[in-house]
Amino acid sequence: MSETIHTCQLPGGMVLVAEEMPWLRSAAFTFLVPAGSVFEPKERAGLAGFTCEMMLRGAGDRDNRQLILDLDTLGVDRSESVGPTHIGFSGVALAERLPDVLSIYADLLRRPQLPEEQLEAGRQIMLQELSAVEDEPAQKSILELRRTFFADPWGRPHQGNEPGILAVTSDEIRRFWQNHYSPKGTILGVAGRFDWPTLREEVQRLFADWTPMETDLPAEVVSPSSVRHIPFESGQTHVTVGFETVPYRDENYFEAWGATGVLGGGMSSRLATEVREHRGLCYTVYAYSYTLRDKAGVLCYSGTSADRANETLEVMVDQLRRLREGVETEELDRLKSRIKSALVMQQESSSSRSSSIARDWYHLGRVRSMDEVSERLDRLSAASINAYLESHPPGDFTVVTLGPRELEVSLGVSES
């Protein structure tokens, strides 16, 4: 299918990027606002997410209840996310309702009520989310791997911590919103059925007079160690390993992505075959790429019994080290088949596409069309991946374990 992509930069710096999908009846949107967890003070961990929670409790002339009712009446399937650099607000509705939906989100972003009388209710939601992570050791171990692998504040979990959440005040939430919710750096991705001149005019009406703010990115603080153990009373141990890869904007990203997919993407991957199927060491194992704008890592996870955790770690690291020897064409062909199926499904989803084009604009300053991605995948070969692995061999591993006993970490791991 032919792809038509439009862009428009508003006076305050906000960028609208939109892709027409006229065969659909829906239209989806994704706002990326540069107000993520890296901007919160360290002693107020969780402030970015807390601010997002409070913004949803009334905007413009709508109180909390009316805001929810109006979005439900418009049939909006919505979600919010907190990342290191951005807060994401996403949704999808019937195409003819998109202008009314965007009008509500203009109020939400620019004119939130942030009602002080609902602060404690919002705080309880934040504490419940934090407790949910503590009750999910698999999720907690991955979050702790990211915290250790990436320099602070880039690896900081968006859920924050209990002291930070308990200390947040209404004034701090309002200041965070005032200082970081700005058109400069904000991206609005729209995908689905729409009329471009009408959409552009509506977005300009809603956001053209939004006043920009200047925000500097924080300085990095180097992690003190590449090996950590988190005591956790359980019969299971959660083993995570990370190593550096290239970020999404790098010209070798697709080669790195292909290597990661062969390593740990799906039940036919090397980790699943060797760690789970052949040796029966774990019930789940996988690897995926996690990318910031200028730094990225391959994050690997396995959940296993405490008495087999050391062996699991050793086999995982062995597979990571063996990856530098190269991948086989058959492995890559299986991966390509699975990913091309996912691309076809993305062509049928306005939600997926609005998120993708907003992310592309942040990382690349342009949008990769579906045709471009498909063509790039076609050019991906075992030879090109192996050339990448020769110059970027996995190594200098970061290891984080969560379980009843600390593991012996030595194979291929450099401790600091």
Side-chain angles (χ1 to χ4, degrees), residues 228-261:
R228 286 180 59 207
H229 175 72
I230 303 167
F232 187 83
E233 288 304 318
S234 171
Q236 299 171 340
T237 294
H238 303 268
V239 180
T240 63
V241 183
F243 62 90
E244 190 170 351
T245 187
V246 295
Y248 183 70
R249 66 192 306 182
D250 191 278
E251 62 180 7
N252 293 312
Y253 171 78
F254 282 92
E255 277 69 30
W257 168 87
T260 303

PDB file of all heavy atoms in Angstrom, residues 228-261:
ATOM      1  N   ARG A 228      25.253  -6.934  40.586  1.00  0.00           N
ATOM      2  CA  ARG A 228      24.428  -6.670  41.775  1.00  0.00           C
ATOM      3  C   ARG A 228      23.591  -7.898  42.105  1.00  0.00           C
ATOM      4  O   ARG A 228      23.155  -8.613  41.197  1.00  0.00           O
ATOM      5  CB  ARG A 228      23.465  -5.492  41.552  1.00  0.00           C
ATOM      6  CG  ARG A 228      24.091  -4.124  41.543  1.00  0.00           C
ATOM      7  CD  ARG A 228      23.024  -3.074  41.321  1.00  0.00           C
ATOM      8  NE  ARG A 228      22.002  -3.109  42.354  1.00  0.00           N
ATOM      9  CZ  ARG A 228      20.742  -2.714  42.178  1.00  0.00           C
ATOM     10  NH1 ARG A 228      20.323  -2.295  40.995  1.00  0.00           N
ATOM     11  NH2 ARG A 228      19.878  -2.762  43.173  1.00  0.00           N
ATOM     12  N   HIS A 229      23.366  -8.101  43.393  1.00  0.00           N
ATOM     13  CA  HIS A 229      22.408  -9.114  43.833  1.00  0.00           C
ATOM     14  C   HIS A 229      21.398  -8.450  44.752  1.00  0.00           C
ATOM     15  O   HIS A 229      21.760  -7.675  45.643  1.00  0.00           O
ATOM     16  CB  HIS A 229      23.094 -10.256  44.574  1.00  0.00           C
ATOM     17  CG  HIS A 229      22.109 -11.246  45.144  1.00  0.00           C
ATOM     18  ND1 HIS A 229      21.398 -12.114  44.344  1.00  0.00           N
ATOM     19  CD2 HIS A 229      21.698 -11.463  46.423  1.00  0.00           C
ATOM     20  CE1 HIS A 229      20.595 -12.829  45.103  1.00  0.00           C
ATOM     21  NE2 HIS A 229      20.760 -12.466  46.360  1.00  0.00           N
ATOM     22  N   ILE A 230      20.127  -8.775  44.539  1.00  0.00           N
ATOM     23  CA  ILE A 230      19.041  -8.237  45.362  1.00  0.00           C
ATOM     24  C   ILE A 230      18.425  -9.390  46.133  1.00  0.00           C
ATOM     25  O   ILE A 230      17.827 -10.294  45.535  1.00  0.00           O
ATOM     26  CB  ILE A 230      17.976  -7.549  44.483  1.00  0.00           C
ATOM     27  CG1 ILE A 230      18.632  -6.438  43.642  1.00  0.00           C
ATOM     28  CG2 ILE A 230      16.855  -6.986  45.332  1.00  0.00           C
ATOM     29  CD1 ILE A 230      17.749  -5.933  42.533  1.00  0.00           C
ATOM     30  N   PRO A 231      18.582  -9.403  47.451  1.00  0.00           N
ATOM     31  CA  PRO A 231      18.006 -10.503  48.242  1.00  0.00           C
ATOM     32  C   PRO A 231      16.488 -10.532  48.118  1.00  0.00           C
ATOM     33  O   PRO A 231      15.822  -9.500  48.185  1.00  0.00           O
ATOM     34  CB  PRO A 231      18.444 -10.169  49.677  1.00  0.00           C
ATOM     35  CG  PRO A 231      19.612  -9.257  49.528  1.00  0.00           C
ATOM     36  CD  PRO A 231      19.345  -8.456  48.291  1.00  0.00           C
ATOM     37  N   PHE A 232      15.944 -11.733  47.923  1.00  0.00           N
ATOM     38  CA  PHE A 232      14.495 -11.899  47.781  1.00  0.00           C
ATOM     39  C   PHE A 232      14.163 -13.328  48.190  1.00  0.00           C
ATOM     40  O   PHE A 232      14.660 -14.283  47.595  1.00  0.00           O
ATOM     41  CB  PHE A 232      14.055 -11.639  46.341  1.00  0.00           C
ATOM     42  CG  PHE A 232      12.567 -11.638  46.147  1.00  0.00           C
ATOM     43  CD1 PHE A 232      11.820 -10.505  46.411  1.00  0.00           C
ATOM     44  CD2 PHE A 232      11.913 -12.777  45.685  1.00  0.00           C
ATOM     45  CE1 PHE A 232      10.440 -10.503  46.231  1.00  0.00           C
ATOM     46  CE2 PHE A 232      10.543 -12.792  45.493  1.00  0.00           C
ATOM     47  CZ  PHE A 232       9.804 -11.642  45.778  1.00  0.00           C
ATOM     48  N   GLU A 233      13.348 -13.474  49.235  1.00  0.00           N
ATOM     49  CA  GLU A 233      13.009 -14.800  49.738  1.00  0.00           C
ATOM     50  C   GLU A 233      12.051 -15.508  48.788  1.00  0.00           C
ATOM     51  O   GLU A 233      10.898 -15.112  48.637  1.00  0.00           O
ATOM     52  CB  GLU A 233      12.401 -14.690  51.143  1.00  0.00           C
ATOM     53  CG  GLU A 233      13.417 -14.325  52.211  1.00  0.00           C
ATOM     54  CD  GLU A 233      14.582 -15.303  52.254  1.00  0.00           C
ATOM     55  OE1 GLU A 233      14.336 -16.533  52.155  1.00  0.00           O
ATOM     56  OE2 GLU A 233      15.732 -14.858  52.352  1.00  0.00           O
ATOM     57  N   SER A 234      12.566 -16.534  48.134  1.00  0.00           N
ATOM     58  CA  SER A 234      11.773 -17.261  47.152  1.00  0.00           C
ATOM     59  C   SER A 234      12.516 -18.537  46.789  1.00  0.00           C
ATOM     60  O   SER A 234      13.733 -18.649  46.992  1.00  0.00           O
ATOM     61  CB  SER A 234      11.560 -16.405  45.895  1.00  0.00           C
ATOM     62  OG  SER A 234      10.972 -17.157  44.856  1.00  0.00           O
ATOM     63  N   GLY A 235      11.799 -19.497  46.241  1.00  0.00           N
ATOM     64  CA  GLY A 235      12.444 -20.685  45.717  1.00  0.00           C
ATOM     65  C   GLY A 235      12.992 -20.465  44.323  1.00  0.00           C
ATOM     66  O   GLY A 235      13.609 -21.360  43.746  1.00  0.00           O
ATOM     67  N   GLN A 236      12.741 -19.278  43.768  1.00  0.00           N
ATOM     68  CA  GLN A 236      13.190 -18.958  42.420  1.00  0.00           C
ATOM     69  C   GLN A 236      14.254 -17.872  42.452  1.00  0.00           C
ATOM     70  O   GLN A 236      14.342 -17.086  43.396  1.00  0.00           O
ATOM     71  CB  GLN A 236      12.005 -18.474  41.572  1.00  0.00           C
ATOM     72  CG  GLN A 236      10.901 -19.515  41.431  1.00  0.00           C
ATOM     73  CD  GLN A 236       9.663 -18.940  40.781  1.00  0.00           C
ATOM     74  OE1 GLN A 236       9.472 -17.732  40.764  1.00  0.00           O
ATOM     75  NE2 GLN A 236       8.825 -19.818  40.238  1.00  0.00           N
ATOM     76  N   THR A 237      15.049 -17.822  41.394  1.00  0.00           N
ATOM     77  CA  THR A 237      16.018 -16.755  41.205  1.00  0.00           C
ATOM     78  C   THR A 237      15.808 -16.167  39.813  1.00  0.00           C
ATOM     79  O   THR A 237      15.594 -16.894  38.843  1.00  0.00           O
ATOM     80  CB  THR A 237      17.459 -17.279  41.333  1.00  0.00           C
ATOM     81  OG1 THR A 237      17.677 -17.711  42.673  1.00  0.00           O
ATOM     82  CG2 THR A 237      18.465 -16.186  41.007  1.00  0.00           C
ATOM     83  N   HIS A 238      15.866 -14.860  39.745  1.00  0.00           N
ATOM     84  CA  HIS A 238      15.667 -14.147  38.492  1.00  0.00           C
ATOM     85  C   HIS A 238      17.026 -13.613  38.049  1.00  0.00           C
ATOM     86  O   HIS A 238      17.662 -12.841  38.768  1.00  0.00           O
ATOM     87  CB  HIS A 238      14.646 -13.035  38.669  1.00  0.00           C
ATOM     88  CG  HIS A 238      13.328 -13.551  39.174  1.00  0.00           C
ATOM     89  ND1 HIS A 238      12.305 -13.927  38.333  1.00  0.00           N
ATOM     90  CD2 HIS A 238      12.903 -13.811  40.434  1.00  0.00           C
ATOM     91  CE1 HIS A 238      11.290 -14.374  39.062  1.00  0.00           C
ATOM     92  NE2 HIS A 238      11.629 -14.316  40.330  1.00  0.00           N
ATOM     93  N   VAL A 239      17.456 -14.055  36.887  1.00  0.00           N
ATOM     94  CA  VAL A 239      18.791 -13.765  36.384  1.00  0.00           C
ATOM     95  C   VAL A 239      18.671 -12.821  35.191  1.00  0.00           C
ATOM     96  O   VAL A 239      17.960 -13.113  34.225  1.00  0.00           O
ATOM     97  CB  VAL A 239      19.507 -15.058  35.942  1.00  0.00           C
ATOM     98  CG1 VAL A 239      20.909 -14.736  35.415  1.00  0.00           C
ATOM     99  CG2 VAL A 239      19.569 -16.061  37.089  1.00  0.00           C
ATOM    100  N   THR A 240      19.358 -11.688  35.257  1.00  0.00           N
ATOM    101  CA  THR A 240      19.338 -10.736  34.144  1.00  0.00           C
ATOM    102  C   THR A 240      20.763 -10.359  33.761  1.00  0.00           C
ATOM    103  O   THR A 240      21.632 -10.214  34.623  1.00  0.00           O
ATOM    104  CB  THR A 240      18.549  -9.463  34.488  1.00  0.00           C
ATOM    105  OG1 THR A 240      19.182  -8.783  35.580  1.00  0.00           O
ATOM    106  CG2 THR A 240      17.113  -9.796  34.878  1.00  0.00           C
ATOM    107  N   VAL A 241      20.981 -10.206  32.478  1.00  0.00           N
ATOM    108  CA  VAL A 241      22.292  -9.848  31.937  1.00  0.00           C
ATOM    109  C   VAL A 241      22.085  -8.782  30.868  1.00  0.00           C
ATOM    110  O   VAL A 241      21.174  -8.894  30.034  1.00  0.00           O
ATOM    111  CB  VAL A 241      23.016 -11.056  31.318  1.00  0.00           C
ATOM    112  CG1 VAL A 241      24.415 -10.660  30.842  1.00  0.00           C
ATOM    113  CG2 VAL A 241      23.090 -12.220  32.303  1.00  0.00           C
ATOM    114  N   GLY A 242      22.922  -7.755  30.882  1.00  0.00           N
ATOM    115  CA  GLY A 242      22.845  -6.713  29.868  1.00  0.00           C
ATOM    116  C   GLY A 242      24.200  -6.440  29.246  1.00  0.00           C
ATOM    117  O   GLY A 242      25.236  -6.612  29.894  1.00  0.00           O
ATOM    118  N   PHE A 243      24.182  -6.040  27.977  1.00  0.00           N
ATOM    119  CA  PHE A 243      25.417  -5.597  27.328  1.00  0.00           C
ATOM    120  C   PHE A 243      25.064  -4.534  26.296  1.00  0.00           C
ATOM    121  O   PHE A 243      23.926  -4.418  25.842  1.00  0.00           O
ATOM    122  CB  PHE A 243      26.185  -6.760  26.689  1.00  0.00           C
ATOM    123  CG  PHE A 243      25.454  -7.485  25.591  1.00  0.00           C
ATOM    124  CD1 PHE A 243      25.568  -7.094  24.263  1.00  0.00           C
ATOM    125  CD2 PHE A 243      24.660  -8.587  25.888  1.00  0.00           C
ATOM    126  CE1 PHE A 243      24.909  -7.771  23.257  1.00  0.00           C
ATOM    127  CE2 PHE A 243      23.994  -9.280  24.882  1.00  0.00           C
ATOM    128  CZ  PHE A 243      24.116  -8.861  23.564  1.00  0.00           C
ATOM    129  N   GLU A 244      26.052  -3.761  25.929  1.00  0.00           N
ATOM    130  CA  GLU A 244      25.824  -2.598  25.076  1.00  0.00           C
ATOM    131  C   GLU A 244      25.535  -2.996  23.637  1.00  0.00           C
ATOM    132  O   GLU A 244      26.112  -3.951  23.105  1.00  0.00           O
ATOM    133  CB  GLU A 244      27.032  -1.674  25.128  1.00  0.00           C
ATOM    134  CG  GLU A 244      26.800  -0.325  24.460  1.00  0.00           C
ATOM    135  CD  GLU A 244      27.919   0.668  24.723  1.00  0.00           C
ATOM    136  OE1 GLU A 244      28.793   0.362  25.564  1.00  0.00           O
ATOM    137  OE2 GLU A 244      27.917   1.735  24.080  1.00  0.00           O
ATOM    138  N   THR A 245      24.630  -2.257  23.006  1.00  0.00           N
ATOM    139  CA  THR A 245      24.362  -2.392  21.582  1.00  0.00           C
ATOM    140  C   THR A 245      24.216  -0.992  21.004  1.00  0.00           C
ATOM    141  O   THR A 245      24.417   0.002  21.713  1.00  0.00           O
ATOM    142  CB  THR A 245      23.103  -3.250  21.335  1.00  0.00           C
ATOM    143  OG1 THR A 245      22.959  -3.504  19.935  1.00  0.00           O
ATOM    144  CG2 THR A 245      21.852  -2.547  21.840  1.00  0.00           C
ATOM    145  N   VAL A 246      23.889  -0.893  19.720  1.00  0.00           N
ATOM    146  CA  VAL A 246      23.762   0.429  19.103  1.00  0.00           C
ATOM    147  C   VAL A 246      22.314   0.907  19.217  1.00  0.00           C
ATOM    148  O   VAL A 246      21.382   0.099  19.183  1.00  0.00           O
ATOM    149  CB  VAL A 246      24.206   0.404  17.631  1.00  0.00           C
ATOM    150  CG1 VAL A 246      25.690   0.080  17.537  1.00  0.00           C
ATOM    151  CG2 VAL A 246      23.391  -0.590  16.810  1.00  0.00           C
ATOM    152  N   PRO A 247      22.090   2.217  19.357  1.00  0.00           N
ATOM    153  CA  PRO A 247      20.722   2.730  19.480  1.00  0.00           C
ATOM    154  C   PRO A 247      19.979   2.725  18.154  1.00  0.00           C
ATOM    155  O   PRO A 247      20.560   2.491  17.079  1.00  0.00           O
ATOM    156  CB  PRO A 247      20.945   4.160  19.995  1.00  0.00           C
ATOM    157  CG  PRO A 247      22.298   4.534  19.516  1.00  0.00           C
ATOM    158  CD  PRO A 247      23.104   3.272  19.508  1.00  0.00           C
ATOM    159  N   TYR A 248      18.706   3.027  18.214  1.00  0.00           N
ATOM    160  CA  TYR A 248      17.810   2.965  17.067  1.00  0.00           C
ATOM    161  C   TYR A 248      18.275   3.852  15.915  1.00  0.00           C
ATOM    162  O   TYR A 248      18.080   3.526  14.747  1.00  0.00           O
ATOM    163  CB  TYR A 248      16.406   3.368  17.521  1.00  0.00           C
ATOM    164  CG  TYR A 248      15.341   3.285  16.468  1.00  0.00           C
ATOM    165  CD1 TYR A 248      14.907   2.062  15.987  1.00  0.00           C
ATOM    166  CD2 TYR A 248      14.747   4.438  15.958  1.00  0.00           C
ATOM    167  CE1 TYR A 248      13.917   1.977  15.016  1.00  0.00           C
ATOM    168  CE2 TYR A 248      13.754   4.368  14.989  1.00  0.00           C
ATOM    169  CZ  TYR A 248      13.341   3.141  14.523  1.00  0.00           C
ATOM    170  OH  TYR A 248      12.361   3.069  13.559  1.00  0.00           O
ATOM    171  N   ARG A 249      18.901   4.979  16.230  1.00  0.00           N
ATOM    172  CA  ARG A 249      19.294   5.919  15.190  1.00  0.00           C
ATOM    173  C   ARG A 249      20.574   5.503  14.479  1.00  0.00           C
ATOM    174  O   ARG A 249      20.944   6.102  13.473  1.00  0.00           O
ATOM    175  CB  ARG A 249      19.458   7.309  15.805  1.00  0.00           C
ATOM    176  CG  ARG A 249      20.596   7.417  16.801  1.00  0.00           C
ATOM    177  CD  ARG A 249      20.542   8.705  17.602  1.00  0.00           C
ATOM    178  NE  ARG A 249      20.488   9.872  16.752  1.00  0.00           N
ATOM    179  CZ  ARG A 249      20.478  11.120  17.216  1.00  0.00           C
ATOM    180  NH1 ARG A 249      20.472  11.344  18.518  1.00  0.00           N
ATOM    181  NH2 ARG A 249      20.448  12.153  16.397  1.00  0.00           N
ATOM    182  N   ASP A 250      21.271   4.485  14.960  1.00  0.00           N
ATOM    183  CA  ASP A 250      22.527   4.052  14.372  1.00  0.00           C
ATOM    184  C   ASP A 250      22.287   3.331  13.040  1.00  0.00           C
ATOM    185  O   ASP A 250      21.307   2.602  12.878  1.00  0.00           O
ATOM    186  CB  ASP A 250      23.270   3.124  15.340  1.00  0.00           C
ATOM    187  CG  ASP A 250      24.700   2.852  14.919  1.00  0.00           C
ATOM    188  OD1 ASP A 250      24.907   1.978  14.052  1.00  0.00           O
ATOM    189  OD2 ASP A 250      25.605   3.497  15.454  1.00  0.00           O
ATOM    190  N   GLU A 251      23.202   3.522  12.078  1.00  0.00           N
ATOM    191  CA  GLU A 251      23.039   2.894  10.761  1.00  0.00           C
ATOM    192  C   GLU A 251      23.105   1.378  10.830  1.00  0.00           C
ATOM    193  O   GLU A 251      22.627   0.684   9.919  1.00  0.00           O
ATOM    194  CB  GLU A 251      24.105   3.416   9.804  1.00  0.00           C
ATOM    195  CG  GLU A 251      25.530   3.106  10.211  1.00  0.00           C
ATOM    196  CD  GLU A 251      26.562   3.651   9.240  1.00  0.00           C
ATOM    197  OE1 GLU A 251      26.172   4.384   8.321  1.00  0.00           O
ATOM    198  OE2 GLU A 251      27.748   3.328   9.409  1.00  0.00           O
ATOM    199  N   ASN A 252      23.691   0.830  11.892  1.00  0.00           N
ATOM    200  CA  ASN A 252      23.786  -0.621  12.053  1.00  0.00           C
ATOM    201  C   ASN A 252      22.686  -1.192  12.945  1.00  0.00           C
ATOM    202  O   ASN A 252      22.775  -2.356  13.356  1.00  0.00           O
ATOM    203  CB  ASN A 252      25.147  -0.996  12.648  1.00  0.00           C
ATOM    204  CG  ASN A 252      26.297  -0.718  11.704  1.00  0.00           C
ATOM    205  OD1 ASN A 252      26.241  -1.087  10.538  1.00  0.00           O
ATOM    206  ND2 ASN A 252      27.327  -0.045  12.201  1.00  0.00           N
ATOM    207  N   TYR A 253      21.650  -0.398  13.223  1.00  0.00           N
ATOM    208  CA  TYR A 253      20.615  -0.853  14.160  1.00  0.00           C
ATOM    209  C   TYR A 253      19.968  -2.160  13.710  1.00  0.00           C
ATOM    210  O   TYR A 253      19.746  -3.064  14.526  1.00  0.00           O
ATOM    211  CB  TYR A 253      19.537   0.216  14.342  1.00  0.00           C
ATOM    212  CG  TYR A 253      18.345  -0.286  15.111  1.00  0.00           C
ATOM    213  CD1 TYR A 253      18.398  -0.398  16.500  1.00  0.00           C
ATOM    214  CD2 TYR A 253      17.181  -0.691  14.452  1.00  0.00           C
ATOM    215  CE1 TYR A 253      17.319  -0.892  17.216  1.00  0.00           C
ATOM    216  CE2 TYR A 253      16.096  -1.183  15.167  1.00  0.00           C
ATOM    217  CZ  TYR A 253      16.168  -1.290  16.544  1.00  0.00           C
ATOM    218  OH  TYR A 253      15.104  -1.794  17.243  1.00  0.00           O
ATOM    219  N   PHE A 254      19.651  -2.286  12.438  1.00  0.00           N
ATOM    220  CA  PHE A 254      18.932  -3.483  11.989  1.00  0.00           C
ATOM    221  C   PHE A 254      19.806  -4.731  12.098  1.00  0.00           C
ATOM    222  O   PHE A 254      19.307  -5.822  12.375  1.00  0.00           O
ATOM    223  CB  PHE A 254      18.407  -3.287  10.569  1.00  0.00           C
ATOM    224  CG  PHE A 254      17.168  -2.441  10.509  1.00  0.00           C
ATOM    225  CD1 PHE A 254      17.262  -1.075  10.323  1.00  0.00           C
ATOM    226  CD2 PHE A 254      15.915  -3.000  10.679  1.00  0.00           C
ATOM    227  CE1 PHE A 254      16.128  -0.276  10.290  1.00  0.00           C
ATOM    228  CE2 PHE A 254      14.768  -2.223  10.644  1.00  0.00           C
ATOM    229  CZ  PHE A 254      14.876  -0.837  10.454  1.00  0.00           C
ATOM    230  N   GLU A 255      21.113  -4.578  11.895  1.00  0.00           N
ATOM    231  CA  GLU A 255      22.015  -5.712  12.108  1.00  0.00           C
ATOM    232  C   GLU A 255      22.041  -6.100  13.583  1.00  0.00           C
ATOM    233  O   GLU A 255      21.996  -7.293  13.932  1.00  0.00           O
ATOM    234  CB  GLU A 255      23.430  -5.367  11.626  1.00  0.00           C
ATOM    235  CG  GLU A 255      23.658  -5.536  10.144  1.00  0.00           C
ATOM    236  CD  GLU A 255      22.910  -4.517   9.296  1.00  0.00           C
ATOM    237  OE1 GLU A 255      22.681  -3.383   9.783  1.00  0.00           O
ATOM    238  OE2 GLU A 255      22.564  -4.834   8.141  1.00  0.00           O
ATOM    239  N   ALA A 256      22.112  -5.093  14.462  1.00  0.00           N
ATOM    240  CA  ALA A 256      22.095  -5.369  15.907  1.00  0.00           C
ATOM    241  C   ALA A 256      20.776  -6.000  16.315  1.00  0.00           C
ATOM    242  O   ALA A 256      20.739  -6.953  17.112  1.00  0.00           O
ATOM    243  CB  ALA A 256      22.335  -4.072  16.683  1.00  0.00           C
ATOM    244  N   TRP A 257      19.701  -5.489  15.764  1.00  0.00           N
ATOM    245  CA  TRP A 257      18.364  -6.029  16.058  1.00  0.00           C
ATOM    246  C   TRP A 257      18.252  -7.480  15.602  1.00  0.00           C
ATOM    247  O   TRP A 257      17.701  -8.331  16.302  1.00  0.00           O
ATOM    248  CB  TRP A 257      17.321  -5.160  15.370  1.00  0.00           C
ATOM    249  CG  TRP A 257      15.959  -5.748  15.337  1.00  0.00           C
ATOM    250  CD1 TRP A 257      14.992  -5.645  16.282  1.00  0.00           C
ATOM    251  CD2 TRP A 257      15.412  -6.552  14.282  1.00  0.00           C
ATOM    252  NE1 TRP A 257      13.878  -6.347  15.880  1.00  0.00           N
ATOM    253  CE2 TRP A 257      14.107  -6.898  14.671  1.00  0.00           C
ATOM    254  CE3 TRP A 257      15.914  -6.995  13.063  1.00  0.00           C
ATOM    255  CZ2 TRP A 257      13.289  -7.685  13.864  1.00  0.00           C
ATOM    256  CZ3 TRP A 257      15.109  -7.779  12.256  1.00  0.00           C
ATOM    257  CH2 TRP A 257      13.801  -8.113  12.665  1.00  0.00           C
ATOM    258  N   GLY A 258      18.792  -7.788  14.418  1.00  0.00           N
ATOM    259  CA  GLY A 258      18.751  -9.159  13.931  1.00  0.00           C
ATOM    260  C   GLY A 258      19.529 -10.107  14.823  1.00  0.00           C
ATOM    261  O   GLY A 258      19.083 -11.223  15.115  1.00  0.00           O
ATOM    262  N   ALA A 259      20.703  -9.664  15.289  1.00  0.00           N
ATOM    263  CA  ALA A 259      21.494 -10.495  16.193  1.00  0.00           C
ATOM    264  C   ALA A 259      20.755 -10.753  17.495  1.00  0.00           C
ATOM    265  O   ALA A 259      20.754 -11.879  18.018  1.00  0.00           O
ATOM    266  CB  ALA A 259      22.840  -9.830  16.461  1.00  0.00           C
ATOM    267  N   THR A 260      20.092  -9.711  18.015  1.00  0.00           N
ATOM    268  CA  THR A 260      19.335  -9.872  19.260  1.00  0.00           C
ATOM    269  C   THR A 260      18.155 -10.811  19.077  1.00  0.00           C
ATOM    270  O   THR A 260      17.846 -11.629  19.943  1.00  0.00           O
ATOM    271  CB  THR A 260      18.842  -8.501  19.768  1.00  0.00           C
ATOM    272  OG1 THR A 260      19.963  -7.634  19.945  1.00  0.00           O
ATOM    273  CG2 THR A 260      18.088  -8.635  21.071  1.00  0.00           C
ATOM    274  N   GLY A 261      17.490 -10.720  17.926  1.00  0.00           N
ATOM    275  CA  GLY A 261      16.366 -11.612  17.655  1.00  0.00           C
ATOM    276  C   GLY A 261      16.787 -13.067  17.585  1.00  0.00           C
ATOM    277  O   GLY A 261      16.098 -13.948  18.109  1.00  0.00           O
TER     278      GLY A 261
END
